[in-house]
Amino acid sequence: MTITRNLRVAVIGAGPAGQAHAFGFRNARMSDALSDVEIVLDTIVDPDTVLAQTVARRYGFARVAADVSQILDSGIDAVSVALPSSLSVPVLGSLLEAGKHVIGEKPLGRSGAEAAELVEIARATDRVAAVGFSYRRIPAVAQLQETVADGAIGDPLFARGHFFSDYALDPASPMTWRFDQEASGGGTILDMATHVIDALEFVLGGVEEVGACILDTTIAQRPTRDGSMAAVTNDDTALIDLRFAGGAIASVLSSRVGAGCPIELGLEIFGTRGHARYRFDRPNEWVLYQRDVGEEGTDAPRTIIPGPAARYFADTMPMAARGNATGYGEAFVAQMQTFLKAVVDGTPMDTSFEVAARTMRVIDAALASARERRPVAVTTPSEN
């Protein structure tokens, strides 16, 4: 097919998340919807230029830059941002004001107020402004969402979601921005629970109230680079109760001190006629139970393995045959394909700043509920 458009892309942040973005951009043209677009892998931006050079070489980017200012006046069209929360807000704002399309890592800032600030900047432009939320791009999760939306389990009644990791379990692991409330805006509640909340809202619609929230810090101090000890000022574990506008209730449990769980996200949605379940440690399948399917006494949950008909599957798999496993890498490819398709079409992405800001308002309500030990309504922009 004839190339009709070039899109120059850059990645800001050469750490693990930035490398996932670079991987997604490198493989984005696997989508038929982008077959006439030349995706030019332009720049990796990071003050650690040695790391940036390594990442650029690994993923095929042409050059590196040490500072965001070096790409603001360039011909780069679309930029992904993978920075700590305290740094992402000014960078995303400056990129939008410079006319760039942007996609950031979750969360969108450190609070609902910072997210609202970015929404206003985005609304003043005609640029695509989005946040990744990569887990909803996994074909099994996308297929689960469509099946629930089609009424396969009846009306949703209650749900449960979790995200466990053990990256912070060792008390000797050093103090970083992730353990500082001012720098991060929250611990596991922002780092991990946001993924679960987005996935549940993806399936069930918007949250209207946080019924309760409990935050716990397991390791109160961590060593610094100079050998002293610093206080951990955010949560290692968060437990959140939610009520959705559609009537369903849900619990969310996230923890970064989950022994034996390097990374595990799970969803369970129960309705009037069945349930649906997904776990990231079995990423290529999901479970569906329908109580009115099959003869009485023989009904049981069944495991569904997505294939090419599932959203994102065919566009991200090198061998798009049912049974070949999809997972984390394919989710980032699908994320960048969706972003670049929105840029080409001039349409908002389904995880726009407005959607990400809604998740941040849920987090604000959860933090208020934890402080005040009471239910807190999730505000809408007009109520702020």
Side-chain angles (χ1 to χ4, degrees), residues 9-11 16-31 34 39-41 44 55 58-61 80 103 105 134 137 315-316 327-341:
V9 302
V11 175
Q19 292 180 44
H21 289 202
F23 175 87
F25 278 135
R26 186 188 69 180
N27 294 287
R29 209 172 156 214
M30 291 170 67
S31 170
L34 296 169
I39 300 167
V40 181
L41 306 179
I44 301 291
V55 174
R58 182 175 189 182
Y59 295 101
F61 282 70
S80 76
I103 183 168
E105 267 296 308
S134 54
R137 313 292 170 195
D315 284 342
T316 62
Y328 197 65
E330 287 79 17
F332 276 93
V333 175
Q335 174 178 296
M336 294 317 183
Q337 289 171 339
T338 307
F339 171 53
L340 294 174
K341 184 68 164 53

Side-chain angles (χ1 to χ4, degrees), residues 119-364:
V119 168
E120 289 306 308
I121 294 172
R123 285 176 177 168
T125 76
D126 62 353
R127 305 289 92 174
V128 174
V131 173
F133 289 121
S134 54
Y135 287 94
R136 65 161 70 191
R137 313 292 170 195
I138 295 171
V141 176
Q143 194 172 64
L144 180 154
Q145 183 271 334
E146 290 174 345
T147 303
V148 172
D150 287 343
I153 65 168
D155 297 325
L157 298 175
F158 66 92
R160 180 169 60 181
H162 71 264
F163 197 145
F164 303 147
S165 179
D166 59 4
Y167 76 83
L169 184 61
D170 184 356
S173 59
M175 186 72 180
T176 70
W177 67 271
R178 292 185 183 278
F179 303 113
D180 181 82
Q181 180 69 18
E182 176 62 26
S184 65
T188 185
I189 196 169
L190 253 74
D191 187 21
M192 297 156 67
T194 44
H195 272 305
V196 183
I197 292 168
D198 174 72
L200 287 172
E201 289 199 307
F202 180 46
V203 178
L204 298 173
V207 174
E208 69 174 15
E209 182 185 72
V210 175
C213 178
I214 299 173
L215 304 178
D216 183 71
T217 303
T218 305
I219 299 170
Q221 292 187 314
R222 292 187 179 273
T224 65
R225 290 181 178 179
D226 64 8
S228 62
M229 300 297 289
V232 174
T233 54
N234 58 25
D235 52 289
D236 289 325
T237 301
L239 175 61
I240 313 166
D241 292 335
L242 305 173
R243 183 175 295 278
F244 290 79
I249 59 174
S251 67
V252 172
L253 178 61
S254 67
S255 183
R256 60 194 181 192
V257 290
C261 295
I263 186 167
E264 179 186 301
L265 177 142
L267 303 172
E268 299 172 279
I269 299 93
F270 290 80
T272 53
R273 294 196 294 110
H275 71 250
R277 289 180 278 135
Y278 170 81
R279 278 176 55 129
F280 184 64
D281 55 349
R282 300 184 69 88
N284 199 47
E285 64 187 46
W286 63 286
V287 173
L288 176 65
Y289 169 72
Q290 296 170 287
R291 67 184 179 94
D292 53 357
V293 174
E295 296 182 9
E296 184 177 356
T298 64
D299 61 331
R302 54 195 172 99
T303 298
I304 297 173
I305 300 174
R311 199 180 346 162
Y312 308 125
F313 190 99
D315 284 342
T316 62
M317 290 293 291
M319 186 180 291
R322 185 169 180 265
N324 286 339
T326 59
Y328 197 65
E330 287 79 17
F332 276 93
V333 175
Q335 174 178 296
M336 294 317 183
Q337 289 171 339
T338 307
F339 171 53
L340 294 174
K341 184 68 164 53
V343 170
V344 170
D345 293 345
T347 57
M349 192 167 160
D350 59 344
T351 51
S352 65
F353 275 13
E354 285 85 355
V355 171
R358 184 180 68 197
T359 303
M360 291 303 299
R361 292 195 295 273
V362 176
I363 296 298
D364 278 358

